[in-house]
Each structure stands twice: as C-alpha cells, then as structure tokens.
Amino acid sequence: MKNRNKIIALFAIISIFFTSCEDQLTDIPENQFSEIQVFSTEEGVETAVNGMYAQFQGYDYYGARMRLLLWPHSGKYQSKQGANNDANKLDAINTNINLDKLWRGMWQTINQINIVIKNAKGNGLKNEATTLGQAYFLRGVVYFDLVRMFEEVPIRLVPTTKDDIHIAKSTKEQVYNQVIDDLKKATDLLPDRGEYIAGRPLKYAANGYLAKVYLTLAGRNSATTNFPNFNSITESEITVASINNFWEEAKKELDVVITKGGYSLTSTFAD
C-alpha cells in the first residue's frame, strides 16, 4: 500500500512538472516585429525594402548563382567549381546544384517583394509610391529572368502560404504580360532624379527594362533560326498595353531614357 501511494505521489509530481514546463515553454516572441508593426512607419517600410534588395543580390540569385550558370555563355568566364562543369560546357543539366539554388532564390525574392506590395499598398505613408515602384520594378525584373530561363512558370502576386505552395504554371504569354504590367507601373511610381535615395532605381530604369523586354521579343520573332518548338509571342498577345510593333515600342522607351533621364555618353578619352 505504501509503495502504491509512493507511485501515485510520484506521478502527481511528474504531472505537475510537465504542466509547469508546458506553461513555461509557451513562446511569445516579444522581441520580433509583426508585419503590421514593420509597415506602420516609414522607417519600417524602408527596412522591408532593403530586405527585397538583400534577397535580390543574395548568393542564391545575382550574388553568385546567376553568374555561375549564365556567365560561361560569354566565353570569358568559367567557374572552377566541380559542380558547375556542365554549365562551363554550356550544357547545364537539371541536377546542377546552382540551378536548383537559383530557382529557390528567385522565388524567395518574389515572395519578399509580394510581402512588401501587400503591406505597402494603401498604407498612406509618404514613401508608399517609391516603395511600390521599387517592388513592381524588381518583380518585373525577376519574372523577366524567370520567363527567359524557364519559359512557363507560376505567377505569384501575393505572399505564399502553406495552402498555395503548389500552383499551376502560367503560359509564356501570361508571364510576359505580367512583366510588362509591373514595369509600366514602376515607370509611374519610381522617383525621378534627386527625389529619393541615391543609387536606387529611377523611373528611367523601368523604361530601360521595358525596352529590353520589347527588344527581346522583337529579336526572337525576327530571328532567321530558332530552337525547336519555339513559341513566338506577337504584339496582339500583349493585352496589358496597346502595342503595334515591338521595335517601335522599344524605341519609345529608350527615347524617354535619352531625352529625360539626364544621362550622357562618356567623353572620348583622347579629348
């Protein structure tokens, strides 16, 4: 009987111990900021914008992976990494670790951008326009990279949740429409020279990228030869803008950069 009472008492103590541990292990992260807190001030928004650029230039995107995979095509660069031997031979395969990491880095960048757009839109802060301009510009750039490298990819315009991790691919035409739409928004929202932080994109960067998009489409469509099963995109398939000729649209965008951007050619060294 005594042993039974001891066992009951022991279980009671253990039960109390685990109950108190459970109470103690309830983690309330008071030293972390919520999205609401971050995007409630101009300073917090700028921190989130810096996060977009950090992701964009990180090792898994422009910081390294993009260079490792694409620069060998220039003929002037080769990685000494054994994992990149196939890319050095211009024959990258889907098991290349840099390709896998680049894919992940690009989507992480998209997600960071979408978080900023979701929280900055309509917040009424003074830097709302410049924030959205930079976000749309970067998203257009990332999707332009994605469609040129992989063609058909999903279009994600809101932050990813566990319920929508797997979504269907969009067509190449739909992705190019999204690229153009984002870059056009950026031309309206990005600041002009002297209106914002030096070194950040101006509206003319978006004009320049739009020209690059139009030149890419025009050049591929006008090429005398293309790779097998090439699917050209015509002007009529761009529904987010009225376009009659890609070459002419590229010229319009570049004329804006030349006449309004405040840029000039470097002087001849001999002079």
Side-chain angles (χ1 to χ4, degrees):
M1 186 70 177
K2 290 182 179 180
N3 288 338
R4 180 183 177 188
N5 289 338
K6 287 180 181 179
I7 292 172
I8 293 173
L10 178 61
F11 274 112
I13 293 172
I14 292 173
S15 176
I16 293 171
F17 173 77
F18 277 107
T19 301
S20 62
C21 282
E22 185 176 338
D23 292 338
Q24 291 177 4
L25 292 174
T26 301
D27 187 19
I28 302 176
E30 297 179 353
N31 62 338
Q32 296 180 8
F33 293 103
S34 67
E35 285 186 19
I36 295 175
Q37 290 174 306
V38 170
F39 289 93
S40 63
T41 66
E42 293 176 29
E43 293 77 11
V45 170
E46 291 299 331
T47 299
V49 170
N50 290 339
M52 291 192 311
Y53 288 108
Q55 197 73 56
F56 185 79
Q57 62 85 47
Y59 192 90
D60 283 344
Y61 196 1
Y62 271 94
R65 307 291 184 187
M66 182 74 90
R67 165 174 50 84
L68 290 168
L69 282 170
L70 298 186
W71 282 16
H73 289 264
S74 69
K76 298 180 179 179
Y77 172 89
Q78 283 197 336
S79 168
K80 293 184 179 179
Q81 294 183 8
N84 214 50
N85 284 337
D86 55 342
N88 289 339
K89 298 174 183 177
L90 309 185
D91 189 26
I93 56 178
N94 59 8
T95 56
N96 186 307
I97 189 173
N98 290 312
L99 182 61
D100 178 65
K101 299 291 187 181
L102 174 62
W103 174 261
R104 181 182 68 176
M106 295 167 95
W107 288 112
Q108 288 174 334
T109 304
I110 289 285
N111 198 59
Q112 181 70 28
I113 293 167
N114 286 338
I115 290 172
V116 171
I117 293 174
K118 169 196 166 189
N119 289 279
K121 190 183 295 183
N123 67 9
L125 297 175
K126 291 181 180 179
N127 56 353
E128 178 183 347
T130 55
T131 298
L132 290 173
Q134 292 173 90
Y136 287 129
F137 174 69
L138 287 181
R139 193 170 69 181
V141 171
V142 180
Y143 270 116
F144 188 38
D145 287 342
L146 281 165
V147 74
R148 285 181 295 167
M149 292 185 68
F150 304 104
E151 293 205 340
E152 296 182 347
V153 297
I155 294 179
R156 295 184 179 276
L157 304 181
V158 295
T160 303
T161 68
K162 63 181 178 62
D163 298 321
D164 62 7
I165 291 177
H166 304 292
I167 61 174
K169 295 187 296 183
S170 297
T171 66
K172 188 167 66 169
E173 293 81 4
Q174 290 171 322
V175 180
Y176 266 108
N177 270 281
Q178 185 61 50
V179 170
I180 293 170
D181 188 49
D182 278 344
L183 292 176
K184 279 191 168 293
K185 288 177 181 176
T187 61
D188 293 329
L189 294 168
L190 281 173
D192 208 330
R193 194 174 300 280
E195 295 179 350
Y196 187 56
I197 301 171
R200 292 287 174 84
L202 303 178
K203 56 176 68 265
Y204 311 110
N207 291 118
Y209 250 95
L210 271 172
K212 188 173 183 178
V213 171
Y214 296 141
L215 289 171
T216 299
L217 294 173
R220 286 184 172 181
N221 293 349
S222 301
T224 55
T225 59
N226 262 308
F227 52 84
N229 301 318
F230 173 73
N231 176 27
S232 63
I233 296 177
T234 62
E235 286 82 352
S236 62
E237 291 175 295
I238 301 301
T239 59
V240 296
S242 178
I243 297 175
N244 294 318
N245 184 284
F246 287 135
W247 294 109
E248 292 176 0
E249 289 299 317
K251 182 180 183 302
K252 288 178 185 177
E253 299 296 338
L254 292 174
D255 281 342
V256 173
V257 177
I258 293 169
T259 59
K260 298 181 179 180
Y263 304 101
S264 60
L265 297 175
T266 303
S267 58
T268 303
F269 181 75
D271 296 340

